[in-house]
């Protein structure tokens, strides 16, 4: 362990005082006692003034940079085009070009340019036709009034973990406190299982919620619609003859045996489709 006392750089004012006293004929030891500065430091400052004519810090001091401006632009441009490139990949490419740069230096260069390492956002896996369909959906519904969206019943299924969390968690802890109970996440064998729920909501409130027993098939989905759609419409106060039913294009939702209300599409919108029943009997 390095126990040496860290050197403190003298301010510009103290350096100027040393030069003023030297011009007045003061000796090195006298200046050292009056300003409480080591004699060698006084000597170095006076010698620097005689050689360079200034006591300010000269350019080129300190450790020379391993990355110049051209190499910095190359590294930043590589990561900007391909964000998944790691510092090790870039180091290997630079080594092939005859330039040796360490991983920390590359990461520091990227951080100074605002390119910090972060976890990527999770987004749906969309193909080209999905993106086109979503754009068409946005263009067709951009002028819809607010009353239209207030009468939309949004429905979907979701799976909830019964024990623990399926996503990544972080804890703030010391290196030696990894096994403290407050810094651990309890787990059970085989994950603890999960539960599937079907639910709906509108702009005003949430509708009915039902627990799906086992694996949901088309027959189970038809039963869920029969038990929950109309009660949800009445509970949410949607317009009896102009409300809109929404579901995604899951195979169970678009099966031939699914009721006409949930089968007749008003628009094929990738994962989302709207269905407008003509009357409450639908």
């Amino acid at each position: 362990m390095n126990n040496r006392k860290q050197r403190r750089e003298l301010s510009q004012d103290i350096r100027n005082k040393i030069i003023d006293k030297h011009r007045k004929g003061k000796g090195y030891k006298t200046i050292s006692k009056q300003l409480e500065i080591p004699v060698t430091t006084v000597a170095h400052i006076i010698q620097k003034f005689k050689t360079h004519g200034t006591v300010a810090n000269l350019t080129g001091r300190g450790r020379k940079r391993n990355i110049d401006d051209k190499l910095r632009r190359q590294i930043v441009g590589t990561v900007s085009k391909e964000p998944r490139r790691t510092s090790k990949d870039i180091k290997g490419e630079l080594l092939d070009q005859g330039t040796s740069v360490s991983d920390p230096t590359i990461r520091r260069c990227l951080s100074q340019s605002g390119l910090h390492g972060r976890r990527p956002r999770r987004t749906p896996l969309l193909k080209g036709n999905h993106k086109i369909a979503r754009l068409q959906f946005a263009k067709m519904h951009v002028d819809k009034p607010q009353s239209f969206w207030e009468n939309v019943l949004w429905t979907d299924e979701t799976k909830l973990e019964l024990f623990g969390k399926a996503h990544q968690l972080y804890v703030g802890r010391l290196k030696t406190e990894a096994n403290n109970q407050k810094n651990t996440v309890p787990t059970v064998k085989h994950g603890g299982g999960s539960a599937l729920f079907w639910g709906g909501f509108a702009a005003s409130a949430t509708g009915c919620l039902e627990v799906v027993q086992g694996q949901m098939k088309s027959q189970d989905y038809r039963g869920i619609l029969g038990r929950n759609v109309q009660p949800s419409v009445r509970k949410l106060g949607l317009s009896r003859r102009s409300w809109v039913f929404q579901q995604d294009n899951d195979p169970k939702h678009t099966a031939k045996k699914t009721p006409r209300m949930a089968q007749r599409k008003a628009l094929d919108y990738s994962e989302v489709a709207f269905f407008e029943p003509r009357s409450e009997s639908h």
Side-chain angles (χ1 to χ4, degrees):
M1 183 177 179
N2 189 2
N3 294 323
R4 290 184 304 174
K5 186 177 181 180
Q6 187 177 5
R7 296 172 59 185
R8 180 174 61 88
E9 188 178 68
L10 297 180
S11 65
Q12 191 75 17
D13 294 337
I14 296 179
R15 298 179 191 180
N16 292 332
K17 289 181 181 180
I18 294 175
I19 300 302
D20 291 340
K21 292 181 180 295
H22 175 69
R23 287 175 174 177
K24 293 177 180 180
K26 302 290 184 179
Y28 290 0
K29 292 184 178 180
T30 303
I31 298 174
S32 173
K33 290 181 180 180
Q34 291 179 353
L35 299 179
E36 297 181 353
I37 299 174
V39 177
T40 54
T41 303
V42 174
H44 290 158
I45 292 176
I46 294 175
Q47 185 63 34
K48 178 180 180 181
F49 180 79
K50 291 180 179 180
T51 304
H52 302 283
T54 180
V55 293
N57 292 335
L58 301 177
T59 57
R61 294 174 69 249
R63 180 181 177 183
K64 300 298 183 294
R65 294 185 176 181
N66 293 334
I67 299 179
D68 55 12
D69 293 339
K70 182 179 179 181
L71 188 58
R72 177 185 297 274
R73 291 193 298 269
Q74 178 182 349
I75 295 174
V76 173
T78 300
V79 177
S80 299
K81 293 179 181 178
E82 302 180 30
R84 298 188 180 184
R85 300 296 295 275
T86 63
S87 59
K88 292 184 178 180
D89 297 336
I90 299 175
K91 176 183 177 181
E93 291 183 1
L94 296 178
L95 194 60
D96 295 339
Q97 299 173 7
T99 304
S100 178
V101 183
S102 64
D103 295 348
T105 302
I106 296 175
R107 290 194 293 269
R108 184 165 53 251
C109 171
L110 295 173
S111 298
Q112 292 173 352
S113 301
L115 298 175
H116 305 283
R118 296 184 174 91
R119 292 179 58 121
R121 299 281 179 88
R122 294 181 178 271
T123 58
L125 179 60
L126 300 179
K127 299 181 181 178
N129 58 333
H130 296 157
K131 298 179 181 179
I132 294 175
R134 293 193 171 201
L135 180 59
Q136 292 176 350
F137 172 86
K139 291 181 178 180
M140 292 179 63
H141 293 80
V142 66
D143 296 326
K144 291 287 186 181
Q146 183 176 352
S147 59
F148 171 83
W149 299 109
E150 290 177 351
N151 283 288
V152 177
L153 177 62
W154 307 84
T155 64
D156 202 1
E157 300 86 29
T158 184
K159 185 179 71 170
L160 300 180
E161 300 293 331
L162 297 179
F163 191 87
K165 301 291 184 181
H167 59 274
Q168 182 68 33
L169 297 176
Y170 294 93
V171 293
R173 61 171 177 81
L174 297 177
K175 185 176 181 180
T176 57
E177 297 180 350
N179 294 321
N180 286 7
Q181 186 174 359
K182 62 180 181 180
N183 297 327
T184 61
V185 177
T187 60
V188 295
K189 199 171 184 179
H190 308 302
S194 60
L196 183 65
F197 294 86
W198 179 96
F201 68 93
S204 57
T206 57
C208 298
L209 180 68
E210 182 169 331
V211 181
V212 180
Q213 302 296 336
Q215 184 178 3
M216 186 174 67
K217 300 181 180 179
S218 177
Q219 181 178 358
D220 303 323
Y221 182 65
R222 295 197 302 270
I224 292 174
L225 294 182
R227 293 188 297 270
N228 296 282
V229 171
Q230 291 300 336
S232 295
V233 172
R234 290 190 291 267
K235 176 183 177 182
L236 298 172
L238 304 183
S239 177
R240 293 295 183 91
R241 304 183 66 85
S242 62
W243 61 276
V244 179
F245 178 81
Q246 180 274 341
Q247 65 178 10
D248 58 30
N249 286 342
D250 188 277
K252 297 182 291 296
H253 302 168
T254 58
K256 294 183 179 180
K257 294 183 180 181
T258 305
R260 185 184 177 191
M261 178 192 70
Q263 184 182 4
R264 185 173 56 83
K265 294 185 181 180
L267 174 66
D268 186 4
Y269 167 44
S270 179
E271 295 183 355
V272 177
F274 279 81
F275 311 99
E276 302 182 9
R278 295 179 180 177
S279 65
E280 187 176 354
S281 61
H282 293 163

